[in-house]
Amino acid sequence: MASLSFAGLTSTAMADGNGVKVGMITTLSGGGAGLGIDVRDGFMLAINQSDNKDVEVVIEDDARKPELAVQIADKMIQSEKVDILTGIIWSNLAMAVVPSVVAQGKFYLSPNAGPSQLAGKGCNPNYFNVAWQNDNLHEAMGAYANAVGYKNSYILAPNYPAGKDALTGYKRFYEGDLAGEVYTKLGATDYAAEIAQIRASGADSVFFFLPGGMGIAFMKQYAASGVDIPVLGPAFSFDQGILGAVGDAALGVKNSSQWSNDLDNDANKAFVASFQEAYGRLPSLYASQGYDTANLILSALDGADVKDADAFRAALKVAEFDSVRGDFRFGNNNHPIQNIYVREVVKDGDVLTNKIVGLALEQHTDAYAQECGM
């Protein structure tokens, strides 16, 4: 279990009790490691740019294992004495870790996973989601499917909390029929059976949520199968880290996101340029979320002491930072109210990327906010 401590914190600050310690638990090995690496790199880019010497970030790899994530969180709280936790990619890991973290009075800021359970009745004043609630990008594609006239969608996702939220979200806005609804094994890499079902289903469209390596495997096999039914998905299946592996099979695919590297605002232009300079690649959705999460923390620290929980919580809530998304604010359940766009996979020179082609949902609030008692 590797542990990385990023210097940037002076020993004097820690000795005087003025330092702020952030514990990042994320996926850096095995399936889905690219997502965690991007969150980490975006987060650390913002920390390094701030030159804030009072912030230390301790990073550990959860290897996408819930039991390991729980052990790391306990160690970070009890031994490392962290003030804030962040980093988890997968919703099943978030559900294993977050309730215990906030129950111990620590702050958790999610740069990715947004399970419905933590947006509704399970909301907590110390839990902030800086990305989205899981359903949101899928709701946007349901709205898009209606707009372009699809009437019979085949939908599939992995059998875990985010997968269930995904198909729930799509169905919440999609008004047509379903040619099929399938939950696949989390981490699956062989989709021959599902593609055969799609071919025979009579569907006029395919909506899928298969993040990381699952989406790469599905799209490659789908393209090779010769099935020509249009595919739709959230950004997770067509984001920057995925496209290089999928290749030209992704060209023209429409997907939904609250962020894109071509969003026209100063904060985003600076982020994209500095990320490319620092890491030699275009940023992904996950990198943008890590970057925003770090900048939210830094903005709150400018206005409040993390040891004063009420003041720090209030400073987080006002979200006084320049988000790469542009307009950003929290709803009553500490989840974003934000625009969600439709993007199209295009080629920029030799590089596959996305460009915004429309607005799917404007200043969208998640469906579970009304269940939150805050």
Side-chain angles (χ1 to χ4, degrees), residues 152-157 178-182 184 191-210 218-219 221-223 225-232:
N152 195 26
S153 288
Y154 186 102
I155 62 177
L156 69 159
L178 292 178
E181 179 176 356
V182 173
T184 64
Y191 295 96
E194 289 80 9
I195 292 170
Q197 292 171 20
I198 290 167
R199 187 192 299 274
S201 69
D204 64 3
S205 51
V206 176
F207 171 79
F208 75 94
F209 164 62
L210 295 167
F218 176 83
M219 276 306 298
Q221 292 164 35
Y222 190 83
S225 74
V227 177
D228 60 359
I229 301 168
V231 295
L232 311 170

Side-chain angles (χ1 to χ4, degrees), residues 141-151 170 173-176:
M141 289 318 290
Y144 174 77
N146 296 332
V148 296
Y150 291 134
K151 303 292 187 185
Y170 185 80
F173 278 71
Y174 172 64
E175 297 170 354

Side-chain angles (χ1 to χ4, degrees), residues 19-138:
V20 176
K21 205 166 191 180
V22 179
M24 174 175 283
I25 305 167
T26 199
T27 304
L28 302 174
S29 64
L35 286 58
I37 289 167
D38 279 357
V39 161
R40 178 199 66 190
D41 288 353
F43 190 95
M44 292 311 304
L45 178 64
I47 296 294
N48 293 334
Q49 288 176 344
S50 76
D51 200 31
N52 187 325
K53 303 300 184 186
D54 290 338
V55 178
E56 180 185 10
V57 183
V58 179
I59 302 174
E60 295 210 26
D61 177 16
D62 59 37
R64 211 171 81 179
K65 297 177 180 177
E67 65 279 6
L68 180 56
V70 170
Q71 292 171 17
I72 296 170
D74 288 343
K75 186 185 78 168
M76 284 186 170
I77 292 170
Q78 295 161 18
S79 300
E80 299 277 2
K81 306 298 183 184
V82 300
D83 303 292
I84 303 163
L85 286 98
T86 188
I88 291 175
I89 300 298
W90 308 92
S91 289
N92 53 332
L93 274 67
M95 289 305 302
V97 169
V98 172
S100 173
V101 167
V102 296
Q104 295 177 70
K106 300 297 181 181
F107 289 94
Y108 186 90
L109 278 71
S110 178
N112 196 67
S116 55
Q117 297 94 324
L118 300 180
K121 293 178 181 178
C123 67
N124 186 281
N126 284 357
Y127 171 72
F128 289 79
N129 189 296
V130 196
W132 23 255
Q133 190 279 316
N134 281 350
D135 301 27
N136 292 167
L137 303 195
H138 315 293

Side-chain angles (χ1 to χ4, degrees), residues 210-348:
L210 295 167
M214 293 178 282
I216 294 169
F218 176 83
M219 276 306 298
K220 284 185 170 181
Q221 292 164 35
Y222 190 83
S225 74
V227 177
D228 60 359
I229 301 168
V231 295
L232 311 170
F236 319 121
S237 299
F238 298 98
D239 205 47
Q240 203 60 49
I242 302 289
L243 290 176
V246 172
D248 288 352
L251 277 171
V253 171
K254 305 296 194 301
N255 62 92
S256 54
S257 181
Q258 87 285 8
W259 174 85
S260 186
N261 61 36
D262 64 335
L263 266 178
D264 188 11
N265 65 69
D266 291 343
N268 193 50
K269 290 175 183 176
F271 162 63
V272 172
S274 60
F275 190 93
Q276 284 185 281
E277 182 179 356
Y279 302 111
R281 66 185 191 274
L282 280 170
S284 69
L285 173 76
Y286 305 100
S288 79
Q289 292 165 185
Y291 189 77
D292 268 1
T293 300
N295 278 321
L296 171 63
I297 291 171
L298 291 163
S299 72
L301 290 173
D302 282 343
D305 185 343
V306 73
K307 310 299 183 189
D308 183 343
D310 289 341
F312 188 70
R313 188 182 303 113
L316 288 171
K317 187 79 172 185
V318 296
E320 289 185 346
F321 73 105
D322 292 328
S323 170
V324 297
R325 280 164 267 189
D327 292 340
F328 179 98
R329 60 192 171 100
F330 285 116
N332 66 293
N333 61 347
N334 295 345
H335 283 63
I337 298 173
Q338 60 190 343
N339 291 340
I340 303 177
Y341 303 93
V342 178
R343 310 188 302 180
E344 180 178 348
V345 179
V346 299
K347 220 166 195 177
D348 184 2

